[in-house]
Amino acid sequence: MKEIALEQLNENAFSLISKEWMLVTAGTPEKYNMMTASWGGLGWLWNKPVAFLFIRPERHTYEFLENNDNLTLSFMGNDKEMRKIYGLLGSKSGRDINKMQVEGLTPIEAGNGSVAYEEARLTLECKKLFITDMKEENFIDKDLLQFYGENGGMHRVYVVEIQKALM
């Protein structure tokens, strides 16, 4: 992978996250966990390039995000093999399977000490800046509450600084 300037990224953030999805990985090369995410955003905040992540507290990756300041967002493409990997990592918990040994992924140490993957077509190395928890009383559009309750707890919102892009 080669570092590229963030200004050179020519990606559609809407397609990138909602259609391709991403692997959110936190931890160290010795112990980490990842999950598939299809909710999030990319933007500019506090004069920094940022990503917005939404992680439910019951997800195993949540523990790793809470205990580490650095993480990666990996975009693996849309080929058939990667869709299977995204499906597995989005439906199985690291409490139930060893995600550090998923066939088809080759973990490598990222420059920020977290984990990236050789197979990624794009990796964003990130650092946590801000967290907040969603609360029912803050929803203006109450119809959105359909995504909670039986579907899981309210998300924790992470704002992370994108420190490096690798392609």
Side-chain angles (χ1 to χ4, degrees):
M1 283 195 220
K2 181 181 176 184
E3 183 175 352
I4 65 163
L6 291 173
E7 298 80 21
Q8 291 180 318
L9 279 179
N10 205 13
E11 302 281 343
N12 178 319
F14 297 103
S15 297
L16 191 66
I17 296 170
S18 71
K19 302 283 190 258
E20 183 174 337
W21 304 345
M22 62 184 162
L23 293 182
V24 177
T25 305
T28 65
E30 296 74 40
K31 187 174 181 184
Y32 62 92
N33 198 64
M34 80 290 268
M35 62 175 271
T36 300
S38 61
W39 287 8
L42 302 174
W44 188 256
L45 182 64
W46 304 311
N47 294 326
K48 298 175 184 288
V50 297
F52 307 93
L53 308 174
F54 301 85
I55 310 294
R56 294 179 194 265
E58 58 266 22
R59 296 297 299 258
H60 189 51
T61 304
Y62 178 89
E63 294 173 34
F64 290 84
L65 285 165
E66 289 297 296
N67 294 317
N68 293 276
D69 288 335
N70 297 313
L71 61 133
T72 60
L73 306 178
S74 299
F75 299 89
M76 311 301 288
N78 269 323
D79 68 32
K80 188 176 180 179
E81 183 62 28
M82 286 304 148
R83 295 314 292 178
K84 283 176 44 181
I85 290 171
Y86 278 135
L88 172 72
L89 297 176
S91 63
K92 300 291 181 190
S93 172
R95 293 181 189 98
D96 301 326
I97 66 169
N98 185 348
K99 288 188 174 183
M100 292 172 47
Q101 296 178 350
V102 170
E103 192 171 325
L105 289 181
T106 310
I108 56 175
E109 186 169 350
N112 64 4
S114 60
V115 175
Y117 307 95
E118 280 185 17
E119 295 80 6
R121 67 171 199 82
L122 171 63
T123 298
L124 302 176
E125 293 183 5
C126 303
K127 177 183 171 188
K128 288 190 309 189
L129 296 175
F130 176 83
I131 59 171
T132 191
D133 295 318
M134 290 185 164
K135 297 177 183 169
E136 185 174 342
E137 62 268 18
N138 292 339
F139 280 80
I140 296 165
D141 182 346
K142 301 298 184 191
D143 290 342
L144 297 174
L145 293 171
Q146 70 181 318
F147 292 101
Y148 300 97
E150 291 178 18
N151 295 317
M154 295 278 178
H155 289 93
R156 172 160 278 187
V157 180
Y158 295 85
V159 178
V160 299
E161 179 181 5
I162 302 169
Q163 297 182 307
K164 192 183 291 185
L166 303 164
M167 289 189 104

